[in-house]
Amino acid sequence: MECFTPIPSSFSSSWSSHTWFSPPPLGVKSNSKLISLSRKCRSSNKVGSRCMSMGQTANENSGFSYKKLMHFALEETNLHTSLVPSPLQEKYSSLLAMDDKTELQMLSFEAPKIRLLRSLGIEGSDGMQVLDFAAFPKPEFDLPIFCANFFTAAKMNIIVLDLNPLHDIMDQKDYKEKYYKDLIPLGLKYSELLPWGGKLTSESLRFFSPIVIWTRFASSPHNHSVLFSAFKEYYQAWLELMDRSEEERDASQIAHNCEAQHRYLTWRAEKDPGHGLLKRLIGEDLAKDVIREFLFNGVNELGSKTFLDYFPEYRCEDGRVNEKRSMLGKSFENRPWDARGEFIGNGVEIV
């Protein structure tokens, strides 16, 4: 199934481990040096703004850059709603990593139905690129959460693209029917072009929809073209769902939506596999701040429950959170949904 050439062991794991998103260790600089670098390169809120203190990367020279997707996403969003810069933009704009070469660029916006639309782009001098793009609805709307996590190294790509369900689609069939019934053909189209990427933990699976694209592939113009098309069609589908969504008036349902989003954010802030990359790039303290205050903003504001309140199975005897990604130790080697979008995980090989 995997169509890429052999890769280093540090990249060989999937969402079942912490390491798939992690490059080789970088040199560590002092905290004072990091602070002096952290605002060295600042970007504006305008689409197309550039922050290139380190010059062009190899990816840009070859014409491949995730910036193209961000330009598309912001332009397309502005056709559907009115974006305004988020207050987060003042603090989270640009960072230069501890290697003095890798750039992290951040954008964040709000809209009438969108609590936070944000992106993190990373470009390294070695051709590494990362795009972490998400759109979180306001609690008055039960929209899915748009999620695009793309990692590219010189020869390989690790991709997650989905409309993450706000509510449990295993138990709430009406929610699944409401948002995913008409999107199954779209998911089938790209699941054939971008095959299943291998082991996915059963714990992670609860945050994905039947149309999730989880894949790994070799870098090539064709594969990147398919990925860009998938991103565009998935995001356009999400925007159309947003256009049709109606504001919830019932206070209890709004509270239910709020807790569901807080649960999602709490999981991602604790177990997202991209944490290792950020720690290597900017250090543990700053990475934690970016993760909790920017990438998964709301984890400290939308609710007071802790990770262990939501996921008590991860509690260690001493009260700490178990660092394992999976407590069940099970993962899905093959796609656990059929062509109708029905979950068939109980009949799929679990390893």
Side-chain angles (χ1 to χ4, degrees):
M1 177 178 291
E2 297 171 358
C3 58
F4 52 88
T5 56
I7 57 179
S9 59
S10 61
F11 292 118
S12 62
S13 299
S14 70
W15 278 69
S16 62
S17 75
H18 289 286
T19 59
W20 68 261
F21 211 50
S22 303
L26 298 169
V28 177
K29 297 183 180 293
S30 67
N31 287 337
S32 60
K33 177 67 172 177
L34 178 57
I35 293 171
S36 68
L37 291 173
S38 65
R39 294 297 178 260
K40 187 175 180 180
C41 174
R42 300 194 61 91
S43 62
S44 71
N45 292 325
K46 296 180 180 179
V47 174
S49 64
R50 300 183 63 81
C51 181
M52 296 300 295
S53 63
M54 302 308 300
Q56 287 185 312
T57 67
N59 280 322
E60 287 181 311
N61 289 333
S62 66
F64 167 69
S65 174
Y66 286 136
K67 288 180 180 179
K68 296 177 182 179
L69 291 183
M70 281 313 307
H71 295 172
F72 166 82
L74 296 180
E75 291 172 357
E76 194 72 13
T77 307
N78 274 314
L79 297 177
H80 292 257
T81 188
S82 299
L83 285 176
V84 297
S86 164
L88 295 174
Q89 190 65 48
E90 180 65 24
K91 179 180 179 182
Y92 300 98
S93 179
S94 294
L95 295 171
L96 188 60
M98 295 185 293
D99 64 353
D100 286 341
K101 298 178 181 180
T102 304
E103 297 183 44
L104 293 79
Q105 298 185 14
M106 292 163 276
L107 293 172
S108 56
F109 300 89
E110 298 175 349
K113 296 182 180 181
I114 301 174
R115 183 183 66 83
L116 176 64
L117 183 149
R118 57 83 177 148
S119 71
L120 169 65
I122 303 176
E123 295 189 344
S125 60
D126 58 355
M128 179 192 74
Q129 284 199 72
V130 172
L131 174 64
D132 187 334
F133 176 76
F136 301 98
K138 290 184 175 179
E140 290 81 7
F141 302 90
D142 66 355
L143 283 164
I145 297 166
F146 185 85
C147 167
N149 294 124
F150 300 167
F151 173 85
T152 294
K155 295 182 179 181
M156 52 82 68
N157 303 260
I158 302 174
I159 303 298
V160 175
L161 176 65
D162 194 23
L163 278 62
N164 293 155
L166 184 65
H167 298 294
D168 188 345
I169 56 174
M170 302 293 186
D171 296 331
Q172 300 187 32
K173 300 298 184 182
D174 55 339
Y175 185 84
K176 178 184 174 184
E177 183 85 3
K178 178 180 180 180
Y179 285 116
Y180 297 103
K181 179 182 178 181
D182 295 335
L183 297 182
I184 296 302
L186 177 65
L188 289 175
K189 171 184 175 181
Y190 284 105
S191 66
E192 294 181 2
L193 295 171
L194 299 168
W196 190 254
K199 297 176 182 179
L200 185 73
T201 65
S202 55
E203 286 88 349
S204 296
L205 194 70
R206 57 188 158 190
F207 296 101
F208 292 124
S209 80
I211 66 168
V212 62
I213 299 301
W214 150 234
T215 190
R216 297 187 280 186
F217 56 77
S219 290
S220 72
H222 171 74
N223 287 337
H224 289 146
S225 177
V226 172
L227 176 62
F228 278 33
S229 295
F231 177 92
K232 292 176 179 180
E233 289 198 55
Y234 270 57
Y235 192 58
Q236 287 172 330
W238 187 85
L239 289 171
E240 291 171 4
L241 292 178
M242 181 193 71
D243 289 343
R244 298 197 298 266
S245 65
E246 297 182 0
E247 183 174 358
E248 180 62 59
R249 301 293 183 181
D250 182 81
S252 63
Q253 185 59 45
I254 294 173
H256 184 51
N257 293 342
C258 191
E259 180 169 299
Q261 189 170 152
H262 185 251
R263 180 176 182 269
Y264 173 93
L265 293 168
T266 301
W267 171 266
R268 294 291 303 274
E270 182 69 34
K271 293 296 183 181
D272 192 81
H275 295 182
L277 173 61
L278 286 177
K279 291 178 182 178
R280 284 174 169 82
L281 290 175
I282 58 178
E284 185 171 357
D285 290 343
L286 190 52
K288 183 177 179 180
D289 179 70
V290 170
I291 289 166
R292 296 186 67 85
E293 300 296 337
F294 179 75
L295 291 178
F296 305 115
N297 175 271
V299 72
N300 295 325
E301 293 82 18
L302 295 184
S304 59
K305 288 186 177 181
T306 68
F307 180 87
L308 292 175
D309 289 332
Y310 289 122
F311 311 103
E313 64 272 22
Y314 282 86
R315 185 185 300 276
C316 295
E317 291 183 1
D318 60 4
R320 293 182 298 108
V321 175
N322 195 306
E323 295 183 359
K324 292 181 179 179
R325 279 193 54 77
S326 175
M327 296 305 296
L328 296 177
K330 297 179 180 179
S331 57
F332 292 88
E333 183 70 34
N334 301 297
R335 191 173 190 88
W337 292 279
D338 65 15
R340 298 175 300 165
E342 296 298 324
F343 184 71
I344 54 172
N346 293 331
V348 173
E349 180 183 1
I350 299 177
V351 294

